[in-house]
Amino acid sequence: GSTGERSRPFSVRDALMGFFLALKGESVLASINAFEELRRLDRAGEATGVALRSLSDVLNAIMRLNICEAVLSNLSFAFWPDNARAGMALLLAPLGAFRAGGQQDLSPEWLRLYLAWNANFIWPSHYCPDMMCFTMLAMPSLALGPPEQFQYRRAHTLFWVVRSTQITRRMCG
């Protein structure tokens, strides 16, 4: 219609992409909320024991969910289905626990595999026609920053990538 809304997706791939973006956006927002709760508890001196372990488990579960979403996308509508194997390796590898300040005991090896896998996953031909998504998720503060800060920085960057992609898709009908 004239409002820029479609009554139905153009294709199954388009419908899957819309679902993927909605799920990714909500899961990344949940991750940001968990980080903010961890920061709040840390300021109050309460980020210890069960509370810290619980938030650490939530953050790692959300990361695994995000990777699982992307693996399913690789297998269903992405242009690079073989990339799903690297995603599976990430799912099987241990993720480090978070400390009270939000830093994660993340191995440099895991981070390098994630960056290589993600670069292939977000390549422009996958779901964005330009390089903005790729450049935002491969920027130096993520790709070259300390592994301890990776998940926090990734969550905030990915949130804006997902939201801008959703807005662009909506505006372009």
Side-chain angles (χ1 to χ4, degrees), residues 109-125:
E109 294 81 15
W110 191 95
L111 177 57
R112 283 193 297 272
L113 176 59
Y114 179 90
L115 292 170
W117 164 78
N118 197 44
N120 195 24
F121 178 71
I122 62 172
W123 192 252
S125 65

Side-chain angles (χ1 to χ4, degrees), residues 6-76:
R6 292 190 296 230
S7 60
R8 63 181 179 78
F10 289 123
S11 66
V12 171
R13 184 180 191 280
D14 188 56
L16 287 170
M17 187 63 214
F19 175 76
F20 166 78
L21 284 168
L23 186 59
K24 182 70 76 178
E26 293 307 310
S27 64
V28 171
L29 186 56
S31 180
I32 291 170
N33 288 336
F35 273 114
E36 292 309 311
E37 179 65 9
L38 182 59
R39 291 167 54 117
R40 187 191 67 73
L41 290 174
D42 187 38
R43 283 191 305 273
E46 300 170 5
T48 60
V50 173
L52 179 58
R53 279 191 305 279
S54 294
L55 284 171
S56 182
D57 290 346
V58 164
L59 287 164
N60 282 329
I62 293 170
M63 175 61 94
R64 291 193 187 287
L65 173 65
N66 284 172
I67 293 168
C68 187
E69 293 163 5
V71 166
L72 292 173
S73 297
N74 274 143
L75 294 172
S76 60

Side-chain angles (χ1 to χ4, degrees), residues 6 29 37 41 52 56 62 66-67 99 107 109 111 116 120 129 133 135-136 138 150-151 155 158-159 163 165-166 170:
R6 292 190 296 230
L29 186 56
E37 179 65 9
L41 290 174
L52 179 58
S56 182
I62 293 170
N66 284 172
I67 293 168
R99 296 187 296 276
S107 77
E109 294 81 15
L111 177 57
N120 195 24
C133 177
T135 55
M136 287 180 74
F150 174 72
Q151 268 208 56
L158 185 55
F159 176 79
R163 291 298 186 237
T165 303
Q166 287 173 318
R170 188 152 182 83

Side-chain angles (χ1 to χ4, degrees), residues 125-151:
S125 65
H126 172 59
Y127 67 87
C128 292
D130 59 30
M131 294 295 289
M132 184 59 71
C133 177
F134 185 81
T135 55
M136 287 180 74
L137 292 174
M139 71 174 111
S141 66
L142 289 173
L144 302 175
E148 299 83 24
Q149 295 295 322
F150 174 72
Q151 268 208 56

